[in-house]
Amino acid sequence: MSSNDSLQRLAQIIESRKLANGGDPDQSYVARLLHKGPDAFLKKIGEEATETVMAAKDLDYGGTTPELKAGLQAKLVGEVADLWFHSLIALAHYGLSPADVIAELERREGTSGIEEKRCARRSFGVLMTRLKSPESPAVFC
């Protein structure tokens, strides 16, 4: 079974927890976050992102023995799992799935990271211009 299959299965479970699909906020953590709305799950994404950074920094500076390093690696993996999980909730809320993210990653494959950043900045500028002046031409990278 592939990682993509695991993500898709988890996304399907999250989808089933939506209130419209019978999710019960009193019985399901996911349904509760979705019921509370974007502020709730976006706050969790921020918390989990911060905890991921902290776990990585702990690994940079605290893995002085093999046992300690293994424990810190497990902590990092756990924090990234929490971050991905809450990100999947956000995707579901906005009508997206892991397949959308994977498609974007595949689109970027073989593209220079430096060029991708340059393009993103240009696209953001075009988007902001279009928001201010909708008749402006939309030219993205």
Side-chain angles (χ1 to χ4, degrees):
M1 180 169 310
S2 76
S3 316
N4 191 21
D5 293 337
S6 297
L7 287 173
Q8 198 54 43
R9 226 179 23 263
L10 183 54
Q12 289 169 348
I13 293 168
I14 290 169
E15 189 69 29
S16 76
R17 301 298 198 269
K18 287 182 171 179
L19 300 179
N21 296 331
D24 181 356
D26 293 328
Q27 300 295 316
S28 164
Y29 173 72
V30 171
R32 187 176 311 138
L33 281 177
L34 290 168
H35 176 70
K36 288 180 178 181
D39 284 350
F41 57 78
L42 296 174
K43 178 181 175 186
K44 286 301 295 180
I45 290 171
E47 290 171 6
E48 299 303 345
T50 300
E51 291 172 8
T52 298
V53 170
M54 291 168 41
K57 287 295 192 179
D58 287 346
L59 190 53
D60 281 340
Y61 297 106
T64 55
T65 67
E67 296 79 19
L68 190 52
K69 183 176 180 179
L72 293 172
Q73 286 174 324
K75 176 73 172 158
L76 178 58
V77 168
E79 295 301 344
V80 171
D82 290 345
L83 178 58
W84 285 15
F85 175 76
H86 289 92
S87 295
L88 288 172
I89 293 171
L91 288 173
H93 174 79
Y94 294 111
L96 298 164
S97 76
D100 297 302
V101 177
I102 291 166
E104 176 61 13
L105 291 170
E106 289 171 349
R107 183 193 69 76
R108 294 179 185 187
E109 190 175 343
T111 302
S112 158
I114 293 170
E115 181 57 31
E116 184 71 26
K117 291 283 186 194
R118 189 177 301 125
C119 182
R121 281 193 301 273
R122 242 180 291 152
S123 295
F124 181 74
V126 170
L127 178 62
M128 295 308 292
T129 300
R130 296 240 336 133
L131 288 173
K132 292 176 186 172
S133 179
E135 65 280 353
S136 297
V139 179
F140 295 95
C141 290

